[in-house]
Amino acid sequence: MVVLARLLAPGDIGVVAMATVVTGFVALFSDLGTSAAVIQKAEHSPGFLSAVFWLNLGFGLGTMLVVMASASWIAAFYGEPRLTAILVVLSVSFPLTGLFVLQRALLERAMDFQLLARVEMLSTVTGGAVGILVAFMGGGTWALVMQSLVSTTFMAVLLWVYGGWRPRFEMDLAEVRGIVGFSGYLTGFNVINYFSRNADYVLIGRLLGSTELGYYSMAYRILLFPLQNLSSVITRVTLPAFSRIQGDDARFPRSYLRCIGVIGLLSFPLMVLVFTTAKPFVQAVLGEPWLPVVPLLLIFAPVGLVQSVGSTVGVLYIAKNRTALLFKWGVYGGLIIVTSFIVGLNWGIIGVAGCYAAAALLLT
């Protein structure tokens, strides 16, 4: 990210941020919550797993076609012609994800995180290297596109080679229907949560332009993206563990409190450090063109501090099979977050960040 920030203009990063809002939203439907259901479910048959795999692959192909068909309309909405080709290329990642999402879920269920870590690190490093190479060659926005596509491709190949599980040509649809309630509410929550968390990108990109969105997305990536990944990694580990002890109401809360204690130990000092050194950090790491990011970091630091802990709550609902309650909470929280973005637009990206911070602290 640091190297690409020095090689690319804020507008280039802003354009790809517009595209990832769309692809990220569509990706929510790639498995319709079945991965979490596979992890949470105590037992499942080979026919159930094969049915989940073929459904995921089918949804991946379908979403690719939908994005390709609507790419020009989305580009027209943003007023950014470059988006059409970018969305068409990025949409290839949907069927690729459908090929490995179940293998990844099965490894998480088995808690084989050593293998997962190796696969994901190699995929990320390879994608990053390709992205930097394309940027050095003057590829502009395509550096970020190729970074994403290469990482996804390597993930699919490695998980098929080392994942161990292979699908059969059979489908136990009756068992799949048994998880519809669980996965349906979870997908509903994910859709609402994603929309509320990315409405700021849509509004800024549409009303303030790609350069302003570039500054905003860079600040978000520096501060909140790493923390959310820290929380999501711990959630991936704790979901299968909590699912195994979901009936032990004495051990369950103790385990969760230890979990967020570890997150706080890592994230709280980091947020204080970023807050107190924001300007020299941006000057040294990103360079002078990115100085408008400094006030955004000062606003996002307190948000990152509380969200690093608060964003882990979802695993409790999933492990306890309370996704209906999670969905209701998502609707309530989403309305507050989106309202804060709309109000904040009156003062530009600083206003959006400030109102978002106030809403996030309230919800925490």
Side-chain angles (χ1 to χ4, degrees):
M1 183 183 69
V2 172
V3 175
L4 291 174
R6 289 185 171 273
L7 294 173
L8 303 177
D12 292 333
I13 294 176
V15 170
V16 177
M18 295 175 183
T20 53
V21 170
V22 178
T23 57
F25 175 75
V26 176
L28 295 175
F29 300 94
S30 62
D31 74 342
L32 296 178
T34 55
S35 294
V38 167
I39 296 171
Q40 194 272 342
K41 203 173 186 301
E43 297 179 359
H44 33 60
S45 66
F48 167 73
L49 293 178
S50 294
V52 169
F53 172 83
W54 294 116
L55 288 173
N56 288 343
L57 182 58
F59 278 119
L61 291 169
T63 50
M64 178 187 72
L65 296 175
V66 169
V67 172
M68 285 183 172
S70 57
S72 59
W73 299 340
I74 296 169
F77 168 80
Y78 278 111
E80 182 54 69
R82 290 179 291 175
L83 266 183
T84 302
I86 291 172
L87 284 170
V88 169
V89 174
L90 283 176
S91 68
V92 177
S93 64
F94 298 134
L96 289 173
T97 302
L99 285 172
F100 69 77
V101 66
L102 181 58
Q103 283 90 333
R104 184 174 60 188
L106 289 172
L107 289 174
E108 291 177 4
R109 187 175 187 271
M111 302 190 74
D112 191 353
F113 293 105
Q114 186 177 73
L115 175 58
L116 272 174
R118 291 172 178 171
V119 168
E120 293 181 4
M121 288 172 64
L122 182 58
S123 301
T124 301
V125 169
T126 305
V130 171
I132 291 172
L133 177 62
V134 174
F136 267 117
M137 295 171 63
T141 56
W142 290 103
L144 296 169
V145 174
M146 295 309 299
Q147 177 189 13
S148 174
L149 196 59
V150 169
S151 294
T152 304
T153 302
F154 263 75
M155 184 88 71
V157 172
L158 292 174
L159 283 175
W160 265 85
V161 172
Y162 298 107
W165 181 85
R166 295 291 184 273
R168 302 178 182 179
F169 291 100
E170 57 179 305
M171 299 181 68
D172 188 345
L173 295 178
E175 197 170 349
V176 172
R177 285 193 291 268
I179 65 166
V180 168
F182 175 94
S183 60
Y185 279 120
L186 182 57
T187 300
F189 167 77
N190 287 336
V191 169
I192 292 172
N193 187 59
Y194 186 86
F195 175 75
S196 64
R197 298 295 179 184
N198 289 273
D200 50 350
Y201 277 36
V202 175
L203 293 169
I204 292 171
R206 177 70 175 84
L207 300 176
L208 302 181
S210 60
T211 299
E212 293 293 285
L213 181 56
Y215 292 133
Y216 186 90
S217 65
M218 179 59 70
Y220 194 94
R221 291 180 67 182
I222 289 173
L223 209 56
L224 300 186
F225 188 72
L227 288 180
Q228 289 176 350
N229 274 270
L230 170 65
S231 298
S232 68
V233 165
I234 293 180
T235 297
R236 289 173 66 185
V237 176
T238 54
L239 177 57
F242 287 170
S243 295
R244 295 178 183 180
I245 62 171
Q246 58 185 283
D248 190 339
D249 288 336
R251 185 181 174 191
F252 192 97
R254 289 199 304 268
S255 300
Y256 175 71
L257 291 175
R258 284 199 299 271
C259 166
I260 61 174
V262 171
I263 294 175
L265 183 66
L266 296 171
S267 64
F268 289 8
L270 178 62
M271 290 300 95
V272 173
L273 178 64
V274 172
F275 185 84
T276 54
T277 63
K279 186 173 181 179
F281 171 80
V282 170
Q283 288 176 317
V285 176
L286 301 180
E288 294 290 332
W290 292 96
L291 280 177
V293 169
V294 173
L296 296 172
L297 291 180
L298 297 176
I299 296 171
F300 281 149
V303 179
L305 191 146
V306 297
Q307 279 198 350
S308 65
V309 172
S311 61
T312 63
V313 175
V315 71
L316 303 180
Y317 293 92
I318 298 171
K320 284 286 191 178
N321 198 14
R322 299 296 300 278
T323 52
L325 184 59
L326 179 64
F327 173 75
K328 294 175 183 177
W329 166 253
V331 173
Y332 169 75
L335 288 173
I336 292 178
I337 291 292
V338 173
T339 301
S340 74
F341 294 150
I342 295 172
V343 172
L345 276 172
N346 292 292
W347 300 276
I349 54 176
I350 301 297
V352 174
C355 289
Y356 170 59
L361 293 172
L362 172 65
L363 291 173
T364 300

